[in-house]
Amino acid sequence: QVQLVESGGGLVKPGGSLRLSCTASGFTFSDYYMSWIRQAPGKGLEWLSYISSDAITVHYSDSVKGRLTVSRDNAKNSLSLQLNSLRAEDTAVYYCVRDRGYYFDFWGQGTLVVVSS
Amino acid sequence: DIQMTQSPSSVSASIGDRVNITCRASQGISNWLAWYQQKPGKAPKVLIHAASKLQSGVPPRFSGSGSGTDFTLTITSLQPEDFATYYCQQGNSFPFTFGPGTKVDLQ
């Protein structure tokens, strides 16, 4: 079955950086687009980034553009997110999701990132 | 960016009720719309995509309709496991955007 497992969350100081990883299994990772979505505590869902199956095309939300880098390693079935210059408002659960081009059909369990001194 | 709005923001309903949730896009998105259900502490789950296509494994009491700017998610005969928050999402153009959510709780 399709599984997406995020790792790397935790407590990070303002101004710091975070790197999250997502390991995929149960499907041919290299055939699918992937995205990252986050959800601040008690808030709604915010799409952050899309990466094409071949990693050639990447799109970012304006809210994180310039601070966010997303990459993938199809040989390792893995997706990565690096977010720099962290602010309190980056506190959220970060989800790795399989992207079907216009909707998201499988989500990881999410990893919580807390930005606080 | 395409803005998504939902109404109502919350609805109280009883088991067996029919519930309608409306989603509106700030500009036309054809049928590039999905609906998700999220329960507390869990990741969202897709219910409907392409405005009206039921995702595999989702009970047929869930249905979607609409195109352009106005969409509706309907839950016929609400079940105990349906109490959750529902989000719409447009996939017409980047950045993909979500509605603010509609919480369905027990009356």
Side-chain angles (χ1 to χ4, degrees), chain A residues 52-89:
Chain A
S52 62
S53 55
D54 57 9
I56 290 176
T57 301
V58 183
H59 291 284
Y60 296 111
S61 167
D62 283 348
S63 69
V64 292
K65 195 174 287 184
R67 298 194 296 130
L68 178 64
T69 302
V70 171
S71 61
R72 64 189 295 163
D73 184 337
N74 286 341
K76 295 182 178 180
N77 292 343
S78 70
L79 178 71
S80 296
L81 173 155
Q82 174 145 350
L83 186 60
N84 300 323
S85 303
L86 287 166
R87 312 159 179 166
E89 52 265 37

Side-chain angles (χ1 to χ4, degrees), chain A residues 39 45 47 59 101-102 104 108, chain B residues 36 38 43 49-50 89 94 96:
Chain A
Q39 186 171 36
L45 300 163
W47 171 84
H59 291 284
Y102 66 96
F104 312 108
Chain B
Y36 301 85
Q38 186 178 33
H49 65 93
Q89 171 250 322
F94 291 108
F96 293 158

Side-chain angles (χ1 to χ4, degrees), chain A residues 35 37 39 43-47 49-50 59-62 95 99-110, chain B residues 1 31-34 36 38 42-46 49-50 53 55 87 89-92 94-98 100:
Chain A
S35 280
I37 291 167
Q39 186 171 36
K43 303 297 185 183
L45 300 163
E46 179 187 15
W47 171 84
S49 179
Y50 156 98
H59 291 284
Y60 296 111
S61 167
D62 283 348
Y95 293 103
D99 187 326
R100 302 308 304 273
Y102 66 96
Y103 75 103
F104 312 108
D105 65 346
F106 283 96
W107 298 58
Q109 84 286 354
Chain B
D1 297 2
N31 68 337
W32 301 116
L33 184 102
Y36 301 85
Q38 186 178 33
K42 300 294 188 182
K45 166 189 166 184
V46 63
H49 65 93
K53 294 185 178 180
Q55 179 72 2
Y87 295 93
Q89 171 250 322
Q90 67 82 16
N92 180 76
F94 291 108
F96 293 158
T97 45
F98 290 85

Side-chain angles (χ1 to χ4, degrees), chain B residues 16-33:
Chain B
D17 282 355
R18 179 186 182 97
V19 173
N20 289 316
I21 299 170
T22 297
C23 176
R24 177 164 290 174
S26 60
Q27 63 191 75
I29 59 170
S30 185
N31 68 337
W32 301 116
L33 184 102

Side-chain angles (χ1 to χ4, degrees), chain B residues 49-67:
Chain B
H49 65 93
S52 62
K53 294 185 178 180
L54 195 66
Q55 179 72 2
S56 176
V58 174
R61 64 180 179 272
F62 292 94
S63 64
S65 63
S67 67

